[in-house]
């Protein structure tokens, strides 16, 4: 399935457009909120493994509905070396079907369903992880990418 193209503001201060990444693998991980425990673990794990992703010609991007200002603080606090993308209007979140009903402590609300997409060099989605558990998730994504690039 082809990944839907989109343009979003990024922490690099340059608008990110997915089609500009054709020719590289791309990890898009959607996370609920900057600087919360699970999101911090997930982001730091991708950050620690970033050089290994880059060796496999793969870019990593984190996406949430937080503002660029929030992303900048999060990036600076944890020295994140990849771009975070801001989707304050929920357009990409809805396009990728990661905005939905969630349950927490007995109450229901709308929010980001933690999901990761692995996109190949031609812009096709080759793997989707839904309802992600953060522990070792970045490592699992890297292992999947290694298996794919061996073929």
């Amino acid at each position: 399935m082809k990944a839907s193209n989109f343009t979003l503001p990024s922490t690099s201060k340059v608008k990110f457009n997915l089609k500009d990444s054709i020719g590289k693998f791309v990890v898009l991980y959607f996370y609920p909120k900057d600087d919360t425990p699970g999101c911090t673990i997930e982001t730091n794990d991708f950050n620690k493994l970033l050089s290994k992703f880059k060796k496999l010609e793969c870019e990593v991007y984190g996406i949430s509905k937080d503002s660029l200002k929030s992303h900048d603080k999060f990036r600076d606090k944890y020295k994140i070396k990849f771009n975070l993308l801001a989707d304050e209007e929920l357009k990409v979140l809805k396009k990728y079907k990661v905005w939905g009903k969630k349950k927490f402590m007995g109450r229901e609300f709308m929010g980001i369903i933690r999901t990761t997409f692995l996109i190949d060099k031609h812009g096709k989605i080759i793997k989707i992880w839904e309802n992600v558990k953060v522990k070792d998730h970045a490592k699992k994504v890297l292992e999947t990418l290694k298996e794919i690039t061996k073929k």
Side-chain angles (χ1 to χ4, degrees), residues 51-63:
S51 64
K52 292 180 180 184
F53 279 101
K54 285 185 181 263
K55 278 182 189 149
L56 297 170
E57 296 178 41
C58 183
E59 298 175 343
V60 175
Y61 299 95
I63 304 175

Side-chain angles (χ1 to χ4, degrees), residues 116-131:
T116 300
F117 293 83
L118 179 58
I119 300 167
D120 74 8
K121 294 179 178 190
H122 308 288
K124 286 199 174 88
I125 296 170
I126 51 176
K127 177 91 172 136
I128 302 170
W129 290 265
E130 296 175 297
N131 293 308

Side-chain angles (χ1 to χ4, degrees), residues 10-130:
S10 87
T11 49
S12 71
K13 306 302 175 240
V14 175
K15 287 223 181 245
F16 171 81
N17 189 301
L18 184 60
K19 75 175 183 321
D20 294 340
S21 295
I22 296 290
K24 296 178 188 141
F25 287 98
V26 176
V27 169
L28 293 180
Y29 74 95
F30 292 87
Y31 66 97
K33 189 154 180 51
D34 289 340
D35 213 2
T36 55
C39 299
T40 299
I41 290 167
E42 185 176 24
T43 300
N44 281 333
D45 286 353
F46 275 114
N47 203 37
K48 283 178 204 153
L49 296 171
L50 188 62
S51 64
K52 292 180 180 184
F53 279 101
K54 285 185 181 263
K55 278 182 189 149
L56 297 170
E57 296 178 41
C58 183
E59 298 175 343
V60 175
Y61 299 95
I63 304 175
S64 81
K65 68 180 187 67
D66 293 313
S67 67
L68 269 185
K69 187 177 175 185
S70 173
H71 280 347
D72 285 340
K73 282 200 314 208
F74 186 44
R75 183 197 61 206
D76 294 346
K77 182 175 179 179
Y78 294 101
K79 297 177 176 52
I80 299 164
K81 298 181 217 92
F82 56 86
N83 284 316
L84 301 175
L85 310 178
D87 187 15
E88 292 182 86
E89 295 172 9
L90 314 179
K91 286 180 181 163
V92 178
L93 298 171
K94 289 177 178 175
K95 191 183 273 192
Y96 277 78
K97 296 179 175 52
V98 299
W99 181 256
K101 230 178 246 180
K102 296 173 74 172
K103 279 185 180 167
F104 183 69
M105 297 180 81
R107 67 177 246 274
E108 276 191 5
F109 59 95
M110 295 299 285
I112 295 171
I113 299 157
R114 194 184 301 274
T115 308
T116 300
F117 293 83
L118 179 58
I119 300 167
D120 74 8
K121 294 179 178 190
H122 308 288
K124 286 199 174 88
I125 296 170
I126 51 176
K127 177 91 172 136
I128 302 170
W129 290 265
E130 296 175 297

